[in-house]
Amino acid sequence: MDGTVTLRIPPPHRDDVLLAVFSVAAGLLLWSLGVYSSPTRDLFPAWAALVPLLALGAMELLRRSLPRVTLAVGTAGVIADQFTVGNLATVLIFTDLMYAAVVYGTPAMARRLPVQTGLITIAVTIASVAWLRTPQALLIGVITGIVSFGPALTGATLRNHREAAIAARLRAEQTALLAEMDRSQAVVAERARMARELHDMVANHLSAIAIHSTAALSIDSPATSREALGVIRENSVQGLAEMRRLIGLLRDAGGGQEAVATPSLDGLDALLDQARTNGAASGLDFVLLDDRPSGEPLPAPVELAAYRIVQESLTNALKHAAPGTVTVRLARERPAGGDRAGGGALHVRVDSPYGERPGPRAPGSGAGLIGMRERTELLGGAFEAGRADAVWQVRATLPVEEEAVRA
């Protein structure tokens, strides 16, 4: 490389080519007819007025790509035109170059030129009046303002409107993009919520069906098969009812109803009774220890989350727990130094025997643990699940504060 820099000038715009051609043609027509702006000047021959005309006409081709250069050449050309017989087309071309410099130039140039041309107009007006000392001298300042300040101000106005329109369009595009992102996030959140509800409502029944059908197939006994078929039928009917209820809620969601089933902790006794029936063949028993103060209802989101966590824990116990007792504990933590009903937290604890399990097992996917953790985190709580010695423990702390519930 030789270190040279190549200046690439884009081809002129079609409108600029037409403008240059018509401007120069108009100037030549005026010159050929002898129409001069200052016919009394005879410092140079008449043909000298064509030099500024052609120079400024050529600058029209570069008015968009090189506005700084065209303005400099145009200023020199219009000054030179004042020493010839003059051509009105040359002055008009200069006004367009001034306008283009503001519209297509840099932001600094667009801010600077209206101020500079305004100051030049004032200075020329004052100097003309001081030199000629006649009212007609004001016309020189007026003409200067029309030729320089007027086009600069017009270009600045147009540029400001154009930039405001671009900014408005960008804001509209950003608003549309944010709205689309919000819509996508809302769809994802709704799908995740419905997936949790579907899993929690149906997994328990399907797990019981899977366990008892496997037991009926592995133990060739009419009594065992009859008992298994009874449990399978009961869970199938209940699961079908739950599915119909969920479908009904989804169909009615457009009418303003919440498309989520809302069981409460009052239904835990029935939930444990069902678990005892399903877990009898696996040697499981279920116990509920409710240490909450009576007569203090919890917010609906907290009750729903606690119910679903207990339900999923019982389902996991039916799938994986060793023979023994599954203990469900509920406790209400009150706020420090307060007697109000609100505040504090609800503690949910489920302990299941951990070890070798005789008989059939139902496969698990891990979606239940994910769903329990999501429910807890949506309320701003804490969730833990894991093995401790011979016990599988599930711990959930659900805040009861209004702020946590709204979150």
Side-chain angles (χ1 to χ4, degrees):
M1 297 181 64
D2 55 0
T4 59
V5 178
T6 302
L7 179 61
R8 295 183 178 179
I9 301 176
H13 194 273
R14 182 185 63 180
D15 295 341
D16 296 341
V17 175
L18 295 176
L19 188 61
V21 171
F22 284 119
S23 299
V24 173
L28 292 175
L29 178 61
L30 292 176
W31 181 83
S32 63
L33 295 176
V35 179
Y36 309 130
S37 58
S38 301
T40 58
R41 296 175 187 158
D42 54 358
L43 296 177
F44 299 97
W47 60 264
L50 298 179
V51 176
L53 173 66
L54 296 176
L56 269 67
M59 291 299 101
E60 287 280 45
L61 302 175
L62 306 176
R63 61 195 293 270
R64 298 173 190 262
S65 56
L66 297 175
R68 187 186 299 273
V69 174
T70 57
L71 180 61
V73 175
T75 303
V78 78
I79 293 175
D81 184 70
Q82 303 308 308
F83 295 94
T84 67
V85 293
N87 194 309
L88 182 60
T90 303
V91 178
L92 294 178
I93 293 175
F94 172 77
T95 60
D96 180 68
L97 295 178
M98 177 65 71
Y99 167 83
V102 176
V103 173
Y104 303 112
T106 62
M109 180 184 295
R111 292 190 300 267
R112 187 173 62 248
L113 283 178
V115 177
Q116 291 178 344
T117 54
L119 295 176
I120 292 173
T121 300
I122 295 174
V124 170
T125 303
I126 296 175
S128 300
V129 172
W131 181 31
L132 300 177
R133 299 181 181 277
T134 60
Q136 287 75 13
L138 294 173
L139 294 176
I140 299 178
V142 172
I143 294 174
T144 303
I146 293 175
V147 172
S148 60
F149 178 68
L153 183 61
T154 303
T157 303
L158 176 65
R159 181 164 181 155
N160 290 336
H161 285 301
R162 180 181 297 175
E163 291 177 351
I166 293 175
R169 185 172 66 252
L170 290 177
R171 285 195 299 268
E173 293 175 354
Q174 292 174 354
T175 301
L177 179 60
L178 291 175
E180 178 63 21
M181 292 175 61
D182 290 342
R183 188 194 68 81
S184 300
Q185 291 175 358
V187 170
V188 172
E190 183 66 16
R191 290 179 61 182
R193 183 173 64 168
M194 298 313 301
R196 288 194 301 268
E197 292 297 328
L198 182 62
H199 177 274
D200 292 344
M201 286 196 302
V202 181
N204 186 29
H205 302 296
L206 293 181
S207 298
I209 291 173
I211 292 173
H212 285 81
S213 60
T214 304
L217 292 173
S218 60
I219 301 175
D220 188 11
S221 170
T224 302
S225 299
R226 188 178 300 106
E227 179 183 357
L229 288 175
V231 175
I232 290 172
R233 182 184 182 282
E234 180 182 357
N235 281 276
S236 300
V237 171
Q238 293 179 357
L240 183 59
E242 294 283 357
M243 181 67 71
R244 286 173 175 170
R245 183 172 62 172
L246 178 60
I247 293 174
L249 290 170
L250 287 173
R251 290 184 182 275
D252 295 338
Q257 299 183 13
E258 183 71 13
V260 178
T262 55
S264 65
L265 294 178
D266 295 335
L268 287 183
D269 290 330
L271 188 63
L272 265 70
D273 289 339
Q274 181 184 359
R276 292 188 188 98
T277 302
N278 296 332
S282 302
L284 291 173
D285 190 19
F286 296 86
V287 176
L288 173 63
L289 301 177
D290 192 349
D291 298 331
R292 296 177 299 147
S294 60
E296 291 186 2
L298 296 169
V302 177
E303 291 221 7
L304 175 60
Y307 182 92
R308 292 304 189 197
I309 290 172
V310 173
Q311 183 183 42
E312 181 59 28
S313 299
L314 298 182
T315 301
N316 289 339
L318 290 174
K319 292 180 181 179
H320 310 295
T325 301
V326 178
T327 304
V328 179
R329 290 185 176 87
L330 300 177
R332 173 71 182 276
E333 177 186 350
R334 306 304 299 271
D339 296 331
R340 55 191 174 89
L346 175 67
H347 295 279
V348 181
R349 174 177 174 179
V350 182
D351 295 332
S352 306
Y354 186 90
E356 292 297 327
R357 173 195 177 99
R361 284 176 175 266
S365 62
L369 292 176
I370 296 175
M372 289 189 287
R373 186 178 301 278
E374 289 178 348
R375 290 186 183 277
T376 305
E377 292 177 350
L378 285 173
L379 296 176
F383 176 81
E384 294 181 2
R387 178 184 175 184
D389 296 329
V391 178
W392 180 268
Q393 297 179 342
V394 174
R395 303 285 187 274
T397 301
L398 306 176
V400 184
E401 289 84 351
E402 292 299 325
E403 292 80 1
V405 173
R406 285 196 298 267

